[in-house]
């Protein structure tokens, strides 16, 4: 049992690394197993297909990211400060990835959305659920900020979706230019998108 | 000569359609030639490699989009109205694509950025040039709006990049949910990001 789970975990971990580096379509099962250091025969013992593996990679990555987002967005800090923390940690994580791999790998969910969502409905559906969950979490914080009179938004859902869209767009640029420094604008842009009542100078200093 | 150019154009056009549907890595030269209706042997007469074809597809797509963006962003309309027009035409183009193919194909440059930029430096560089050019064009309009006192931005470059990032992020969602309606928020979000002096109600009606 110990060794079995271990092989499955090794396959998922190798696949995640390879997908972050090169996307999904470019990968073959043989290469994944070689990187994982497991016999190719064992792949289909754990996974019905490469698509099933991709779903497992997505789920595992989201389980970890959901824990992080929950810790940050459900904290006791002021609502807008929680969002600020989310951007800071996102920038730090992209920078850490760049220092490890040499390149900014971007957001796994964004990457797979643009590569895969029109190809397999199972992956599209899973990615929709994840982005829905992200927008839900941000929306809860925006609604709290709205109640506290800190922001002025007409529709908390649209506002939360726009904050996440800005995050995805800026992470796309961080990947394209292999440079995370532009992510520092996320906080000021979030305040602008939310019509936040924070003096410009404070936003600029943040 | 007529027939030669025709075959090359057919390959580029087939590749563009297939890349929009399924990305780059998932495609093979044989499939592209079959879709184009040209003999496989002719591929390497026109293109050194699949990567060379991808660059030709990118260039041809940008040539057309650059014409559109120039027409819209260099028009005689008020600066902010030109940006509004850009979002309207982007939404209309994504909707037209959905009506033709059944799915929102998103932005070819954004798709290839997330799929390919960490894999081939030639493609990364070309995509950087294109996004630089897009940001340049938006920045010129933002600078005009700033001069006219219509917006309040600290840095026109950051502001223009954020407007394009918001566009890419929302187009990503349009593709993921196969729904272009969310793109209607682009205008209000652009005004917010630029600190535009436009009454909220006017932005909401727009």
């Amino acid at each position: 049992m110990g060794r079995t789970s271990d092989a499955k975990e090794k396959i998922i971990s190798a696949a995640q690394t390879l997908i972050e580096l090169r996307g999904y379509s470019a990968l073959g099962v043989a290469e994944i197993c070689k990187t994982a250091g497991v016999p190719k025969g064992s792949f289909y013992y754990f996974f019905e297909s490469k698509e099933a593996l991709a779903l497992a990679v997505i789920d595992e990555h989201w389980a970890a990211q959901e824990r992080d987002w929950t810790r940050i967005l459900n904290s006791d800090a002021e609502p807008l400060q929680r969002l600020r923390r989310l951007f800071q940690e996102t920038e730090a994580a992209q920078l850490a990835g760049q220092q490890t791999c040499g390149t900014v790998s971007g957001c796994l969910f964004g990457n797979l959305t643009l590569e895969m969502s029109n190809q397999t409905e199972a992956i599209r559906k899973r990615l929709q659920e994840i982005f829905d969950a992200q927008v839900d979490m941000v929306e809860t914080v925006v609604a709290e900020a709205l109640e506290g009179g800190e922001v002025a938004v007409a529709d908390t859902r649209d506002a939360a979706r726009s904050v996440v869209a800005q995050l995805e767009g800026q992470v796309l640029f961080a990947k394209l230019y292999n440079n995370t420094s532009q992510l520092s604008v996320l906080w000021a842009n979030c305040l602008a998108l939310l019509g936040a009542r924070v003096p410009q100078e404070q936003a600029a200093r943040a």
Side-chain angles (χ1 to χ4, degrees), chain A:
Chain A
M1 179 65 188
R3 286 188 57 209
T4 304
S5 320
D6 193 44
K8 188 177 179 184
E9 269 313 304
K10 278 181 182 166
I11 294 171
I12 293 175
S13 169
Q16 180 172 335
T17 304
L18 290 169
I19 289 173
E20 286 197 333
L21 287 172
R22 308 207 342 251
Y24 169 85
S25 302
L27 301 181
V29 166
E31 184 185 8
I32 294 166
C33 292
K34 197 178 161 195
T35 305
V38 304
K40 193 178 165 187
S42 68
F43 182 90
Y44 291 100
Y45 176 77
F46 297 115
F47 302 101
E48 240 177 45
S49 60
K50 205 179 117 188
E51 181 183 311
L53 170 62
L55 289 169
V57 167
I58 290 170
D59 286 345
E60 186 151 313
H61 192 67
W62 175 235
Q65 193 181 97
E66 192 181 24
R67 276 193 299 275
D68 289 336
W69 281 46
T70 301
R71 171 179 51 77
I72 298 165
L73 297 179
N74 286 4
S75 84
D76 292 334
E78 291 296 311
L80 292 177
Q81 292 303 318
R82 285 178 243 161
L83 291 175
R84 183 181 173 193
R85 182 85 191 162
L86 180 70
F87 304 135
Q88 287 172 333
E89 292 207 14
T90 300
E91 186 177 348
Q94 290 293 329
L95 184 62
Q98 185 192 32
Q99 285 164 346
T100 309
C101 314
T103 53
V104 173
S105 60
C107 166
L108 181 71
F109 308 127
N111 295 346
L112 289 174
T113 291
L114 294 195
E115 187 188 350
M116 298 302 300
S117 59
N118 282 352
Q119 289 179 67
T120 99
E121 283 306 312
I123 290 179
R124 183 202 292 274
K125 188 167 165 288
R126 195 67 58 94
L127 291 168
Q128 285 178 350
E129 289 164 357
I130 289 169
F131 278 110
D132 284 348
Q134 289 189 354
V135 172
D136 283 346
M137 291 166 92
V138 171
E139 189 185 4
T140 301
V141 179
V142 171
E144 268 189 69
L146 182 64
E147 210 169 307
E150 295 168 64
V151 300
V153 297
D155 181 307
T156 54
R157 189 79 191 160
D158 277 351
R161 209 185 278 110
S162 297
V163 168
V164 179
Q166 174 70 207
L167 182 64
E168 287 298 316
Q170 295 283 4
V171 168
L172 180 149
F173 281 157
K175 179 169 180 173
L176 176 62
Y177 295 95
N178 194 24
N179 183 342
T180 60
S181 66
Q182 181 63 21
L183 297 176
S184 62
V185 304
L186 283 169
W187 169 235
N189 285 350
C190 172
L191 296 178
L193 287 167
L194 298 180
R197 303 188 201 292
V198 174
Q200 284 288 339
E201 317 80 62
Q202 192 181 328
R205 273 203 317 276

